Amino acid sequence: MKWFGLNRTRNGLKSKIDWSSHLPKHIAIMMDGNGRWAKRRGLPRSAGHYAGMQTMRQTISMCHKNGIESLTLYAFSTENWKRPKDEVDYIISLVSEFVQETNVRELNENNIKVFFIGDISKFPEVTQQAMRKVVDETEENTGLKVYFAMNYGGKSDIIQAVRSIVKTKNEEEITEEEFEQFLYTGNNPCPDLLIRTSGEKRLSNFLLWQSAHTELWFTDEMWPDFNEELLYASILDYQNRKKRA
Ligand code: FPP
């Protein structure tokens, strides 16, 4: 099935959203619960990650269709290296799978621009090549920006920004606005809404600086079960909070 061809009819919450104001421009997602989703079904963790990748594709499509400007996905944290090698290798292999020609074509057809944030130099060369390929081949696109956080950690993001900024700026030039340019997210606006699935309610080293003013939204659903209704629920909740503020 073509993932951009999805046309779900369950749009109960969609009609409750006021699409003219107070919408999140940048959504960040902690895609948590793949392992538990698989375990509950008696499947290996890899099956959960594979299902998680399909949900990730559908979520990109949903954000594209609903006019979201930026989407940041926490796909591999600096802590994830501590997992068993088989599992790490499998998650990394999903990147190459994602970048397969057909997906890049669909990204281009939908004007989606891809970025990676994090220290990708730690990944195998073949994976880095796949990452560079999708970044290069979607470079001209001007629609939804998708940021994959890979080997990303909020603390290491801040450290790498500090290391860079002290090389180029004098002490008095270092302001919050200037510092932000040196983070992996650069000029991209900070997330308006951060979603975490699986019932966990922690930031887990994701976008620590960038989420200083972000609205947080949690669901007990495991990531592979995330769907359009949950996305609309999060947007509606965000909108209601912002209208009250
Ligand atoms: C968290 O669930 C999920 C991950 C660590 C991996 C997420 C990766 C993908 C969805 C695919 C990435 C693909 C690309 C192209 C970037 P968990 O394993 O921590 O779940 P658990 O808490 O239930 O064990």
Side-chain angles (χ1 to χ4, degrees), residues 30-39 45 48-57 73-77 80 83 87 90-99 116 131 148-150 196-198 200 202 222-224:
M30 304 176 72
M31 309 182 286
D32 198 9
N34 293 348
R36 277 164 286 169
W37 181 92
K39 193 173 177 198
R45 292 178 63 83
H49 293 312
Y50 186 78
M53 185 171 77
Q54 304 309 327
T55 302
M56 189 184 80
R57 288 174 168 170
L73 298 161
Y74 205 10
F76 193 92
S77 73
N80 283 156
R83 296 189 177 203
E87 185 175 349
Y90 184 74
I91 298 174
I92 293 173
S93 78
L94 289 178
V95 179
S96 302
E97 186 161 339
F98 179 81
V99 176
F116 287 90
M131 291 168 165
F148 292 106
M150 295 285 304
R196 183 170 189 164
T197 55
S198 90
E200 306 298 338
R202 300 183 298 281
M222 301 296 137
W223 173 247

Side-chain angles (χ1 to χ4, degrees), residues 16 19 23 34 54 67 94 113 136 144 146 163 179 182:
K16 293 197 167 67
W19 290 97
L23 293 169
N34 293 348
Q54 304 309 327
L94 289 178
K113 185 166 176 162
D136 290 348
L144 173 67
V146 178
R163 286 185 178 140
F179 181 74
F182 287 81

